[in-house]
């Protein structure tokens, strides 16, 4: 009772509110921020200085709150759904027990620099109306800022998170600084909105960090960061680019489905794991990917969008990495797409006849031996051409016979009669073409050419034999190219070919 008299009548009200908060165990019964009554900041300081556990709810804390004078807070501090109207200062302070400001509103600036939180720190659903600074602060246990609204600048530079750091669904309306911050036990920024610049330069992540579903309206800076556990950067959008220059990663770094507006800088990126750029959408004419001097164990990306990579030599290096990664992981489809794009780029660098030859023979006909559809289409065209050539004579004779009979007989008086005549002509033409196709197929699938000279005295017969030999060899060549391309694109066929040739 002596302590209560020394604190005065205002503290009696405070203690009553504390007891009311303790009696209500239902979180839904908490008052809205600031609606359960008011308390002066100085009274709260005196409570904490007297080693009292502060368990408040829905209070309005008026005036500035200088926690730095306490130096060490040994009791739990809970002020859920409270409203703080003044400035909060707590530099060089130690919180020995849990700190819980969940659902509270801080209307003034908050400076908790160089603070030590030994136990859990809860700032879930908090609204910081002014700037907030946690520079050089240490969180030895879990720290949660899930769903927190940072309406002013948020400074977390050189902070050390020894426990989990939860920023999921947080909103950063102004600049967010995490420069040289250390996330020892993982970090979660899933669904966070960064409406201004987000600076994670030289930050260290001990476990995999997630930015899934996040949005970066300003520049996203990860220059020099260390991603020891990898990162999920499958964000919804980067509106002003992203920089992972000189980043070091040990796990997979994934940009699956991210929309990029601006420059994506990966120069000097190094990883012993996977860099996955699959599905990244580069938007805008001034956007692109910079991947110079990267060193990764595996790299995957949509190779059909290789033109967004800046620099022709860099494009070729990236395609070689993607091809190597695809073959090592057993993804032959990805490896073959990368090889086709690589050889196509190299073919474009040739000049004159050799460029034309590369495009026609190696790309369009053989598909660089990785796309079996190309030689298959070529084979079909050759067979159709052979059928038309073989049936050309009979088609010409048939048409002339039809024309003569048409001239000598009166034209059918009815439309049905005319249609029947044309259908009959078409049927005969198709029959002749099919006959020519059958003869052509017989040449194509025959093991030996079986070409004979009817008259060894005529040069014409030698020329015809030479053409037939050329046709026979051309079919065999295109078919062999098709088999090789099919083997390169199908692991089962590849194994069969190796068994036959091995």
């Amino acid at each position: 009772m002596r302590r209560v008299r020394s604190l005065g009548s205002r503290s009696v009200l405070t203690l009553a509110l504390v007891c009311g908060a303790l009696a209500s165990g239902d979180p839904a019964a908490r008052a809205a921020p600031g609606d359960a009554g008011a308390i002066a900041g100085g009274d709260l300081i005196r409570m904490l200085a007297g080693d009292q556990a502060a368990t408040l709810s829905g209070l309005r804390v008026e005036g500035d709150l200088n926690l730095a004078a306490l130096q060490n807070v040994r009791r739990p501090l809970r002020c859920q759904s409270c409203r703080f109207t003044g400035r909060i200062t707590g530099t060089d302070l130690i919180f020995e027990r849990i700190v819980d400001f969940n659902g509270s509103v801080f209307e003034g600036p908050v400076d908790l620099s160089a603070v030590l939180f030994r136990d859990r720190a809860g700032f879930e659903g908090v609204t910081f109306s002014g700037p907030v600074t946690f520079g050089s602060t240490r969180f030895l246990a879990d720290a949660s800022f899930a769903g927190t609204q940072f309406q002013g600048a948020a400074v977390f530079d050189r902070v050390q998170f020894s426990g989990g750091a939860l920023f999921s669904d947080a909103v950063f309306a102004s600049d967010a600084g995490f420069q040289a911050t250390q996330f020892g036990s993982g970090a979660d920024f899933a669904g966070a909105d960064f409406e201004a610049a987000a600076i994670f330069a030289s930050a260290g992540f001990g476990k995999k960090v997630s930015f899934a579903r996040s949005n970066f309206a300003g520049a996203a800076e990860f220059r020099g960061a260390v991603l020891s556990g990898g990162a999920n950067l499958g964000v919804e959008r980067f509106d002003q680019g992203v920089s992972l220059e000189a980043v070091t990663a040990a796990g997979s770094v994934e940009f699956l489905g991210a929309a990029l507006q601006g420059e994506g800088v990966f120069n000097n990126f190094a990883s012993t794991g996977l860099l996955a750029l699959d599905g990244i959408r580069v938007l805008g004419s001034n956007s692109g990917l910079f991947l110079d001097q990267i060193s990764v164990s595996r790299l995957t990306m949509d190779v059909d969008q290789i033109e967004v990579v800046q620099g022709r030599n860099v494009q070729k290096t990236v395609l070689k990495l993607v091809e190597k990664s695809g073959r090592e992981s057993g993804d032959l489809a990805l490896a073959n797409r990368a090889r086709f794009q690589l050889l196509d780029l190299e073919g474009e660098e040739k000049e004159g006849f050799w460029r034309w030859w590369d495009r026609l023979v190696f790309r369009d006909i053989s598909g660089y031996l990785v796309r079996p559809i190309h030689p298959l289409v070529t084979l079909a065209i050759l067979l159709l051409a052979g059928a038309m050539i073989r049936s050309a004579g009979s088609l010409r004779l048939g048409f002339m016979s039809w024309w003569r009979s048409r001239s000598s007989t009166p034209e059918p008086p009815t439309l049905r009669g005319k249609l029947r005549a044309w259908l009959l002509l078409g049927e005969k033409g198709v029959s002749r073409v099919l006959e020519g196709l059958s003869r052509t197929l017989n040449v194509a699938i025959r093991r030996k050419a079986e070409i004979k000279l009817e008259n060894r005295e005529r040069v014409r017969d030698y020329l015809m034999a030479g053409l037939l030999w050329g046709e026979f060899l051309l079919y065999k060549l295109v078919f062999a190219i098709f088999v090789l391309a099919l083997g390169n694109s199908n692991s089962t066929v590849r194994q069969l070919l190796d068994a036959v040739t091995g």
Side-chain angles (χ1 to χ4, degrees):
M1 296 298 294
R2 186 174 301 170
R3 182 182 298 277
V4 172
R5 290 192 186 96
S6 66
L7 293 177
S9 60
R10 186 183 294 271
S11 291
V12 173
L13 173 61
T14 299
L15 292 176
L17 291 169
V18 171
C19 293
L22 290 171
S24 178
D26 184 6
R30 296 174 187 164
D35 289 348
I39 180 176
D43 289 339
L44 181 58
I45 293 294
R46 283 188 287 273
M47 287 178 61
L48 297 174
D51 281 346
Q52 287 183 259
T55 305
L56 313 174
S57 179
L59 286 180
R60 185 174 67 257
V61 181
E62 298 178 339
D64 294 342
L65 195 63
N66 186 6
L67 299 171
L70 298 174
Q71 295 184 351
N72 196 322
V73 179
R74 295 182 175 84
R75 297 293 182 181
L77 171 57
R78 294 182 176 89
C79 198
Q80 298 178 347
S81 300
C82 294
R83 182 178 294 274
F84 296 85
T85 63
R87 176 187 295 271
I88 310 295
T89 305
T91 57
D92 299 315
L93 177 66
I94 299 176
F95 288 100
E96 299 284 354
R97 301 291 300 278
I98 188 171
V99 175
D100 186 354
F101 291 104
N102 292 345
S104 296
V105 175
F106 294 85
E107 297 179 350
V110 176
D111 186 358
L112 294 175
S113 301
V115 171
L116 174 62
F117 291 87
R118 294 190 183 277
D119 207 335
R120 185 182 185 277
F123 293 88
E124 296 179 4
V126 166
T127 299
F128 292 103
S129 301
V132 55
T133 302
F134 284 89
S136 299
T137 290
R138 290 186 294 164
F139 295 89
L140 301 186
D142 292 344
S144 178
F145 293 84
T148 296
Q149 304 278 330
F150 296 91
Q151 298 178 0
V155 179
F156 287 85
D157 295 340
R158 295 174 299 281
V159 170
Q160 180 179 335
F161 291 96
S162 298
L166 186 62
F167 288 86
S168 56
D169 299 312
V171 177
F172 298 86
S174 188
D175 291 346
F178 292 86
Q179 187 165 350
T181 298
Q182 300 300 313
F183 298 89
S185 297
D188 187 357
F189 288 86
D193 279 327
F194 296 89
E195 299 177 2
I199 310 299
F200 289 86
S202 301
F205 297 88
K207 295 183 178 180
K208 188 169 186 176
V209 56
S210 175
F211 288 89
R213 301 178 290 102
S214 295
N215 293 296
F216 288 83
E221 178 65 65
F222 293 86
R223 184 191 306 266
V226 177
L227 306 174
S228 299
N232 179 356
L233 286 163
V235 307
E236 292 188 1
R237 71 178 197 272
F238 291 103
D239 286 347
Q240 295 187 28
V242 58
S243 175
L244 279 85
E245 186 172 3
V247 164
T248 302
S252 61
V253 179
E254 304 163 353
F255 284 81
L256 308 180
L260 173 63
Q261 183 82 34
E263 296 181 350
V265 181
F266 296 84
N267 296 338
N268 299 303
F269 180 94
S271 175
T272 58
L274 167 68
L275 175 59
L277 302 177
D278 308 69
I280 190 169
R281 294 168 291 147
V282 179
L283 310 175
S285 57
N286 295 326
S287 302
L289 297 178
F290 294 82
L291 294 160
D292 194 20
Q293 300 297 320
I294 65 171
S295 175
V296 297
S297 176
R298 291 178 55 209
L299 173 65
T300 60
M301 68 172 297
D302 184 1
V303 296
D304 292 334
Q305 303 296 321
I306 191 64
E307 67 274 4
V308 302
V309 176
Q310 303 302 301
R312 180 56 62 91
N313 290 332
V314 178
Q315 290 178 359
K316 292 192 289 186
T317 300
V318 168
L319 289 171
K320 290 177 183 177
L321 284 172
V322 174
E323 181 187 0
K324 176 176 175 289
S325 301
R327 297 201 182 282
E328 291 178 351
S329 64
D331 190 349
L332 286 180
L334 176 62
N336 289 337
R337 289 197 302 271
R339 180 158 185 80
F340 186 91
Q341 293 290 347
L342 173 62
L343 295 177
D344 191 31
L345 287 179
E346 292 177 347
E348 290 181 356
E349 296 177 349
K350 298 177 181 178
E351 297 180 354
F353 169 80
W354 295 113
R355 181 177 182 180
W356 171 86
W357 179 261
D358 182 89
R359 282 183 168 274
L360 177 62
V361 176
F362 294 112
R363 188 188 71 172
D364 297 337
I365 294 179
S366 66
Y368 293 124
L369 297 182
V370 294
R371 291 190 176 179
I373 189 64
H374 285 225
L376 184 61
V377 170
T378 301
L379 183 60
I381 294 174
L382 290 176
L383 291 174
L384 182 59
M388 295 301 298
I389 292 173
R390 283 182 169 84
S391 60
S394 59
L395 285 174
R396 182 174 61 85
L397 292 176
F399 180 79
M400 293 177 61
S401 176
W402 173 81
W403 183 260
R404 286 195 298 267
S405 63
R406 180 177 179 274
S407 302
S408 60
T409 58
E411 187 176 357
T414 64
L415 179 61
R416 178 177 295 181
K418 294 179 180 180
L419 182 59
R420 181 178 300 172
W422 281 104
L423 288 176
L424 181 60
L425 177 64
E427 181 182 355
K428 292 180 179 180
V430 171
S431 177
R432 290 183 172 91
V433 171
L434 291 177
E435 182 182 353
L437 180 60
S438 176
R439 293 164 58 193
T440 304
L441 284 172
N442 185 42
V443 173
I445 64 177
R446 189 180 298 166
R447 293 182 59 186
K448 296 182 179 181
E450 297 182 3
I451 299 172
K452 299 179 180 179
L453 290 174
E454 295 182 2
N455 190 343
R456 296 179 180 273
E457 302 297 329
R458 290 189 304 185
V459 177
R460 176 183 175 183
D461 288 359
Y462 282 96
L463 292 176
M464 183 60 66
L467 290 175
L468 292 174
W469 267 104
E471 179 190 24
F472 175 79
L473 295 176
L474 184 59
Y475 290 143
K476 295 299 183 283
L477 177 61
V478 174
F479 185 75
I481 292 173
F482 167 73
V483 173
L484 289 174
L486 185 63
N488 287 330
S489 62
N490 186 284
S491 58
T492 303
V493 177
R494 179 76 267 171
Q495 292 174 3
L496 291 174
L497 289 175
D498 291 341
V500 172
T501 58

